[in-house]
Amino acid sequence: MIFTVAIDGPAAAGKGTISRAVAERFGLAHLDTGLLYRAVGAIGGDPVAAARALRPEDLSRDGLRSLEAGQAASRVAAISEVRAALVEFQRRFARREGGAVLDGRDIGTVICPEAEVKLYVTASPEVRAHRRWLEVGGDETRVLAEVKERDARDMGRADAPLRPAEDAVLIDTTGMEIGAAVAAACAAVSARIGEGRG
Ligand code: DC
């Protein structure tokens, strides 16, 4: 079975939790594509060279989940040659036998426009910043400023900007418990994956 679930949206909207839950529920492989950009940003030096030489073990480097790593990822992600170097790996993962869930910013629009299910998961910047702050601590005002800065960069870049695919199912998690968001995502996947697997 070739079956791709593309989950896009801004930082801290709930994509990661939803993606892991969908992958587990339907037995699909999962790729958090943000980790590719985080690793490229963390390696340092020439980001294009880092992207071209990226190895699987780079995705488990320490510190990739920090706010700083997120900002560095967002900066290198605006470089077209970096994005180009990471396309093939993501496409192969998306169309692997057995099915896959990929979460990121451009999965439904650029990496896998043929994905069987496309979800766009979002929430207000304030709610997303609050959730991120609960994880990382520190000054919540600064976390909100970082979230807004990253949104502006990810949505405003010329190459593969963050936006919903035309045929994406929108899930706004602003006033939603994560369980309800997971249920909405699973319902969208069930509807496409066929009888007997949901
Ligand atoms: O999902 P995340 O917070 O781990 O992503 C970190 C950054 O990587 C994000 O701000 C923009 C970039 N990114 C991207 O440009 N395209 C993707 N598919 C995933 C992430």
Side-chain angles (χ1 to χ4, degrees), residues 75-125:
R75 281 193 289 273
V76 299
I79 304 169
S80 287
E81 292 90 335
V82 166
R83 305 198 71 81
L86 302 175
V87 164
E88 204 40 49
F89 173 74
Q90 295 175 84
R91 288 205 173 134
R92 238 180 296 124
F93 193 97
R95 299 318 262 171
R96 69 197 275 153
E97 182 52 46
V101 181
L102 286 82
D103 70 282
R105 302 289 186 290
D106 63 339
I107 309 304
T109 51
V110 173
I111 298 298
C112 198
E114 70 275 32
E116 282 72 16
V117 178
K118 297 180 192 175
L119 306 177
Y120 190 84
V121 181
T122 189
S124 73

Side-chain angles (χ1 to χ4, degrees), residues 53-70:
L54 201 67
R55 297 158 311 160
E57 52 269 35
D58 294 323
L59 305 186
S60 34
R61 288 171 77 98
D62 285 341
L64 290 187
R65 300 280 174 196
S66 71
L67 286 182
E68 291 72 22

Side-chain angles (χ1 to χ4, degrees), residues 7-12 15-16 32-38 64-66 69-78 83 86 90 102-108 111 132 146-147 149-151 153-155 157 159-162:
I7 305 186
D8 292 305
K15 292 190 306 286
D32 168 0
T33 64
L35 274 184
L36 304 174
Y37 297 92
R38 285 172 183 264
L64 290 187
R65 300 280 174 196
S66 71
Q71 286 290 0
S74 172
R75 281 193 289 273
V76 299
R83 305 198 71 81
L86 302 175
Q90 295 175 84
L102 286 82
D103 70 282
R105 302 289 186 290
D106 63 339
I107 309 304
I111 298 298
R132 191 43 58 88
E146 299 242 4
V147 160
E149 186 185 332
R150 205 132 73 86
D151 282 358
R153 199 186 293 114
D154 294 348
M155 292 173 185
R157 68 184 176 220
D159 191 5
L162 170 63

